Amino acid sequence: MGKGKGLSKMLQMKSGHLKIDCTIAEPEASSMIEAFRAIGYSIETAIADIIDNSISAGAKNIWIDYSWRGPDSVIGIMDDGCGMSDEELIQAMRLGSISPLSERRENDLGRFGMGMKTASFSQCRKFCVLSKKAGNEKTFWTWDLDFVNQENAWKIIRYIPEGIDFLERFDRLESGTVVLWWDIDRVTKDLSADTESSRADFLATMDRVKKHLSMVFHRYIERGVKIRLQGRDIEPWDPFMIGFNGLQVRPEAMLDGGRVRIKGFILPHRSKLSAEQYDYGKGPKGSWVAHQGFYVYRNDRLLVAGDWLGLFKKEVHYDLCRIRIDLKNDIDEDWQIDIKKSVARPPARLKEALLAIAKETRARAVEVYRHRGKIVKRRLGGDEYLPVWEERIRHGKRFYRINRQHPLVRKLVQDPGPLSTEIEKVFQVIEETVPIPLITLRENENENPHGKPFEGRCENVLDIMKKIYKKFISDGIGEKEAKARLANMEPFNFYVELIEKL
Ligand SMILES: Nc1ncnc2c1ncn2[C@@H]1O[C@H](COP(=O)(O)OP(=O)(O)O)[C@@H](O)[C@H]1O
Ligand SMILES: [Mg+2]
């Protein structure tokens, strides 16, 4: 840094005397713009980035509209924000229109002066921005990748596609902006033909967009900003399930002189929720386990959803733990906010404090399960715990063995004979080939957390439970004792609420 400054100072002094030779090395427009396409946005994150601009422009209404026409499909994101003059729009169309180092208004969701362009180019080859300030005429400009390639120059063109019916709404707005994408090759790449199945794929993509936006902008939607997809309101998805029965809320902690605020939430145990509420908690990622972790917000806009920020791995026992972190927009560099606004990394000096808060919240989240277990055990009077797998040490090495005492297993192997000998052999092969290295590797990658036993297959587990329960009863074991045994038996210990219903 110091070195660089010194050099530029030297250049400034010397160039006056022409002692140092310099030349302009402009970026090559055509290859540069292709590189911008590869920043790694998904359609969800790209649309969210466009909406950031609408919110920063004070929009109260945002409309996302599309018309599916196979390869000729278009997507538009319209807002009733303050809009731009012709001059402002030209400036906004430039890559890097605002430096990340310049100070932003407090409610600005922008970051690098790139989002509108990079997000759009990541999905389409052509996009038009149409804008109007109150009392002004509307104006529009288009970036066309093919034209840039052809001219090899950073030129925008005065062009707007015709026959797009949802644009009619724009003329009725006092002020606002539309970003219109067409030639959306990245969205339609696998869906090139206009068929029923490609249409269904496109609609599924749009459903993902809806779920993502319901999460990323939930605080804005809760505050009354309307985001509509194809005319229908997007409902907010609140990761912390505030207002739900059984939620525990930790006091807010302030770090960095109040610029970082952290609050832990321990979500309600399943037994406190209706089936519908439990499904709500699964969120856009579709599972409780995936949604544990930190939620990092910058100016109330969610950047990172359910991630332990490298401090822990995702584990089943912590699936009720969600921790909110609120940041302002003046500490981006500290938190390494990226162009896509989907990555945030805490600065090293805060790690200790984050770790302490997370540990405390996680401990409370585990306690919910222990507590449930205890209640059930106390009520049922359970005894010994029966896992399916046991750890064994052999010649100083770790191995995993199927527990022959587990009632499900014992039933299979207890009668001596050819069948049980066969089963014993199969067990041994399974035990000797448990894919520990693969499991360890995947655990560390932390991408898709492993599910809890029978996750998403509740009926199956209930079925097995019923069978064992019946067997216990027919063996003359009392109801209470039978239930207690199930509560202490893997994997049924994860489903104590089902035991209570037997
Ligand atoms: N919907 C909009 N309404 C008003 N102004 C906008 C809109 N979209 C973009 N702009 C203007 O264009 C600029 C560049 O946007 P963008 O490329 O997303 O970068 P950033 O958001 O980081 O500033 C914004 O700072 C804003 O001034
Ligand atoms: Mg932006």
Side-chain angles (χ1 to χ4, degrees), residues 48-54 56 104 108-117 341:
D49 215 343
I50 302 293
I51 293 180
D52 280 349
N53 290 338
S54 302
S56 299
R104 296 249 176 196
D108 194 344
L109 296 178
R111 170 81 181 95
F112 288 99
M114 302 276 278
M116 183 175 82
K117 287 75 68 174
K341 291 182 225 148

CSV table of all heavy atoms in Angstrom, one decimal, residues 48-54 56 104 108-117 341, ligand 2:
chain,number,residue,atom,x,y,z
A,48,ALA,N,-31.8,-10.2,-7.0
A,48,ALA,CA,-31.7,-9.5,-5.7
A,48,ALA,C,-30.8,-8.3,-5.8
A,48,ALA,O,-31.1,-7.2,-5.2
A,48,ALA,CB,-31.2,-10.5,-4.6
A,49,ASP,N,-29.8,-8.4,-6.6
A,49,ASP,CA,-28.9,-7.2,-6.7
A,49,ASP,C,-29.6,-6.0,-7.5
A,49,ASP,O,-29.3,-4.9,-7.2
A,49,ASP,CB,-27.6,-7.6,-7.5
A,49,ASP,CG,-26.4,-6.9,-7.0
A,49,ASP,OD1,-26.6,-5.8,-6.3
A,49,ASP,OD2,-25.3,-7.3,-7.3
A,50,ILE,N,-30.4,-6.4,-8.4
A,50,ILE,CA,-31.2,-5.3,-9.1
A,50,ILE,C,-32.2,-4.7,-8.2
A,50,ILE,O,-32.4,-3.5,-8.1
A,50,ILE,CB,-31.9,-5.9,-10.4
A,50,ILE,CG1,-31.0,-6.6,-11.3
A,50,ILE,CG2,-32.8,-4.8,-11.1
A,50,ILE,CD1,-30.0,-5.7,-12.0
A,51,ILE,N,-32.8,-5.5,-7.3
A,51,ILE,CA,-33.8,-5.0,-6.4
A,51,ILE,C,-33.1,-4.1,-5.3
A,51,ILE,O,-33.7,-3.1,-4.9
A,51,ILE,CB,-34.6,-6.2,-5.8
A,51,ILE,CG1,-35.4,-6.8,-6.9
A,51,ILE,CG2,-35.4,-5.7,-4.6
A,51,ILE,CD1,-36.3,-8.0,-6.4
A,52,ASP,N,-31.9,-4.4,-5.0
A,52,ASP,CA,-31.1,-3.5,-4.1
A,52,ASP,C,-31.2,-2.1,-4.6
A,52,ASP,O,-31.4,-1.1,-3.8
A,52,ASP,CB,-29.7,-3.9,-4.0
A,52,ASP,CG,-29.4,-5.1,-3.1
A,52,ASP,OD1,-30.4,-5.5,-2.3
A,52,ASP,OD2,-28.3,-5.7,-3.1
A,53,ASN,N,-31.0,-1.9,-5.9
A,53,ASN,CA,-31.0,-0.6,-6.4
A,53,ASN,C,-32.3,0.1,-6.3
A,53,ASN,O,-32.5,1.3,-6.0
A,53,ASN,CB,-30.6,-0.6,-7.9
A,53,ASN,CG,-29.1,-1.0,-8.1
A,53,ASN,OD1,-28.3,-0.8,-7.2
A,53,ASN,ND2,-28.8,-1.5,-9.3
A,54,SER,N,-33.4,-0.7,-6.5
A,54,SER,CA,-34.8,-0.2,-6.4
A,54,SER,C,-35.0,0.3,-5.0
A,54,SER,O,-35.6,1.4,-4.8
A,54,SER,CB,-35.8,-1.3,-6.8
A,54,SER,OG,-35.5,-1.8,-8.1
A,56,SER,N,-32.7,1.1,-2.7
A,56,SER,CA,-31.9,2.3,-2.5
A,56,SER,C,-32.5,3.6,-3.1
A,56,SER,O,-32.3,4.7,-2.6
A,56,SER,CB,-30.5,2.2,-3.0
A,56,SER,OG,-29.9,1.1,-2.4
A,104,ARG,N,-21.2,6.2,1.1
A,104,ARG,CA,-22.5,5.9,0.6
A,104,ARG,C,-23.5,6.5,1.5
A,104,ARG,O,-23.3,6.6,2.7
A,104,ARG,CB,-22.8,4.4,0.5
A,104,ARG,CG,-21.9,3.7,-0.4
A,104,ARG,CD,-22.7,3.2,-1.6
A,104,ARG,NE,-21.9,2.6,-2.6
A,104,ARG,CZ,-22.3,2.3,-3.8
A,104,ARG,NH1,-23.5,2.7,-4.2
A,104,ARG,NH2,-21.5,1.8,-4.7
A,108,ASP,N,-28.1,3.2,1.5
A,108,ASP,CA,-27.7,2.7,0.2
A,108,ASP,C,-27.3,1.2,0.3
A,108,ASP,O,-26.5,0.9,1.1
A,108,ASP,CB,-26.6,3.5,-0.4
A,108,ASP,CG,-26.3,3.3,-1.8
A,108,ASP,OD1,-26.8,2.3,-2.4
A,108,ASP,OD2,-25.6,4.1,-2.4
A,109,LEU,N,-27.9,0.4,-0.6
A,109,LEU,CA,-27.5,-1.0,-0.6
A,109,LEU,C,-26.5,-1.3,-1.6
A,109,LEU,O,-26.1,-2.5,-1.8
A,109,LEU,CB,-28.8,-1.9,-0.9
A,109,LEU,CG,-29.9,-1.8,0.2
A,109,LEU,CD1,-31.1,-2.7,-0.3
A,109,LEU,CD2,-29.4,-2.3,1.5
A,110,GLY,N,-26.0,-0.3,-2.3
A,110,GLY,CA,-25.0,-0.5,-3.4
A,110,GLY,C,-23.6,-0.8,-2.8
A,110,GLY,O,-23.4,-0.7,-1.6
A,111,ARG,N,-22.7,-1.2,-3.6
A,111,ARG,CA,-21.4,-1.5,-3.1
A,111,ARG,C,-20.2,-1.1,-4.0
A,111,ARG,O,-19.4,-0.3,-3.6
A,111,ARG,CB,-21.3,-3.1,-2.9
A,111,ARG,CG,-20.0,-3.6,-2.5
A,111,ARG,CD,-19.7,-3.4,-1.0
A,111,ARG,NE,-18.3,-4.0,-0.7
A,111,ARG,CZ,-17.2,-3.3,-0.7
A,111,ARG,NH1,-17.2,-2.0,-1.0
A,111,ARG,NH2,-16.1,-3.8,-0.3
A,112,PHE,N,-20.2,-1.6,-5.2
A,112,PHE,CA,-19.0,-1.3,-6.1
A,112,PHE,C,-19.3,-0.4,-7.3
A,112,PHE,O,-18.5,-0.2,-8.1
A,112,PHE,CB,-18.5,-2.6,-6.6
A,112,PHE,CG,-17.7,-3.5,-5.6
A,112,PHE,CD1,-18.4,-4.5,-5.0
A,112,PHE,CD2,-16.4,-3.2,-5.3
A,112,PHE,CE1,-17.7,-5.3,-4.0
A,112,PHE,CE2,-15.8,-4.0,-4.3
A,112,PHE,CZ,-16.4,-5.0,-3.7
A,113,GLY,N,-20.6,-0.1,-7.5
A,113,GLY,CA,-21.0,0.6,-8.7
A,113,GLY,C,-21.0,-0.3,-9.9
A,113,GLY,O,-20.7,0.1,-11.0
A,114,MET,N,-21.2,-1.6,-9.6
A,114,MET,CA,-21.1,-2.6,-10.7
A,114,MET,C,-22.4,-3.4,-10.8
A,114,MET,O,-22.7,-4.0,-11.9
A,114,MET,CB,-20.0,-3.6,-10.3
A,114,MET,CG,-18.6,-3.0,-10.2
A,114,MET,SD,-17.8,-2.8,-11.7
A,114,MET,CE,-17.2,-4.5,-11.9
A,115,GLY,N,-23.1,-3.6,-9.7
A,115,GLY,CA,-24.2,-4.6,-9.6
A,115,GLY,C,-25.1,-4.7,-10.7
A,115,GLY,O,-25.4,-5.7,-11.3
A,116,MET,N,-25.7,-3.5,-11.1
A,116,MET,CA,-26.7,-3.5,-12.2
A,116,MET,C,-26.1,-4.2,-13.5
A,116,MET,O,-26.8,-5.0,-14.1
A,116,MET,CB,-27.1,-2.1,-12.5
A,116,MET,CG,-28.2,-2.0,-13.5
A,116,MET,SD,-28.8,-0.3,-13.6
A,116,MET,CE,-27.6,0.4,-14.7
A,117,LYS,N,-24.9,-3.8,-13.8
A,117,LYS,CA,-24.3,-4.3,-15.0
A,117,LYS,C,-23.9,-5.8,-14.9
A,117,LYS,O,-24.2,-6.7,-15.7
A,117,LYS,CB,-23.1,-3.5,-15.4
A,117,LYS,CG,-23.5,-2.1,-15.9
A,117,LYS,CD,-23.9,-1.1,-14.9
A,117,LYS,CE,-22.8,-0.7,-13.9
A,117,LYS,NZ,-23.2,0.4,-13.0
A,341,LYS,N,-22.6,-9.7,-3.3
A,341,LYS,CA,-23.2,-9.5,-2.0
A,341,LYS,C,-23.8,-10.8,-1.4
A,341,LYS,O,-24.9,-10.9,-0.9
A,341,LYS,CB,-24.3,-8.5,-2.0
A,341,LYS,CG,-23.8,-7.1,-2.3
A,341,LYS,CD,-24.9,-6.1,-2.3
A,341,LYS,CE,-24.7,-5.1,-3.4
A,341,LYS,NZ,-26.0,-4.6,-3.9
B,2,MG,MG,-26.5,-1.9,-7.0
